[in-house]
Amino acid sequence: MTTTQRIILTVVCVTLAAGVTSGSIGCAPGAEERVAPAGSVETTRTFDNAVKKPPLPQPPPPPMLTRDPRTSVYSYLLWISYAYRILNSDVATMAFSPYEEVRVNSYVQLNRQEGRAIDQQLMKLDFPREPVIQEATATVPAVETWKYRYISTKTGEYNSPWHDATYDTTYTLVRDEGRSAWLVDRVDAEPRGEVK
């Protein structure tokens, strides 16, 4: 596990242990995964537009998909960010259904055609209401804030400044009983303001 992965996993565990929502999370061996991350996401990154060379992409911690749909949403966000950075949606397929795979693949292909990758950082993730779970389907409302910057696939350098975006999102997840996992099946996102 890389230093970045350890930091992210530690932040998630500390945030959840602090009781952002009630319950416990699977950060310790044998612990149950009952709640999801909420609130600010700590990062050691700097967002300086003068920096032209992006850091090397690092895979996120292993996904947590088994018990709480909110944790699955968080894992999905980390893994699709990595997929968009390296322009390979296959790395994130464990976190979403075949239906959502079509959308993610299409976005990766669009970015390839436009000669760009995206370096995006989740800054804040809030779950304003409890998920609605009905049999093998879950609906998870969320508010997420991002920083993102485009990278030229030709030069390997940033070709835009950092942008900010906030979305009101609703995630629909389906239960994969074979894997005992909640998978993102559909994302409805409404931006607050302009997305560049």
Side-chain angles (χ1 to χ4, degrees):
M1 184 179 282
T2 67
T3 302
T4 302
Q5 289 172 316
R6 280 193 212 100
I7 290 169
I8 292 170
L9 190 55
T10 300
V11 167
V12 170
C13 290
V14 168
T15 301
L16 297 172
V20 176
T21 55
S22 61
S24 62
I25 186 70
C27 294
E32 288 190 16
E33 183 184 302
R34 289 188 188 146
V35 298
S40 296
V41 178
E42 292 183 25
T43 179
T44 57
R45 294 194 66 177
T46 57
F47 301 98
D48 183 352
N49 286 326
V51 174
K52 297 300 179 193
K53 191 74 174 172
L56 292 175
Q58 298 292 325
M64 297 180 291
L65 310 172
T66 59
R67 287 200 170 76
D68 193 303
R70 292 167 294 182
T71 308
S72 294
V73 166
Y74 181 68
S75 291
Y76 163 87
L77 292 172
L78 295 181
W79 279 94
I80 65 161
S81 295
Y82 180 58
Y84 294 162
R85 172 65 176 83
I86 66 170
L87 295 174
N88 181 358
S89 59
D90 291 346
V91 298
T93 55
M94 83 298 276
F96 48 75
S97 72
Y99 181 83
E100 175 65 2
E101 183 176 8
V102 173
R103 188 193 67 81
V104 174
N105 282 342
S106 296
Y107 189 61
V108 167
Q109 290 303 321
L110 173 66
N111 284 323
R112 279 189 182 147
Q113 290 170 9
E114 296 191 359
R116 68 183 190 187
I118 298 177
D119 182 1
Q120 62 182 33
Q121 174 72 49
L122 181 64
M123 302 301 292
K124 188 172 183 182
L125 178 62
D126 289 315
F127 298 104
R129 294 181 302 282
E130 291 289 313
V132 176
I133 301 174
Q134 297 177 332
E135 297 181 5
T137 304
T139 304
V140 180
V143 179
E144 53 200 65
T145 301
W146 295 86
K147 280 195 170 290
Y148 64 98
R149 195 173 183 188
Y150 294 107
I151 301 166
S152 166
T153 56
K154 290 182 180 177
T155 66
E157 294 187 349
Y158 288 120
N159 62 358
S160 79
W162 285 103
H163 301 290
D164 298 291
T166 299
Y167 297 90
D168 293 298
T169 49
T170 302
Y171 291 89
T172 303
L173 295 89
V174 293
R175 185 76 176 166
D176 181 338
E177 292 300 341
R179 295 168 46 202
S180 298
W182 286 105
L183 307 179
V184 171
D185 188 57
R186 192 176 77 236
V187 182
D188 296 307
E190 186 68 34
R192 295 182 180 180
E194 183 184 2
V195 178
K196 298 179 181 179

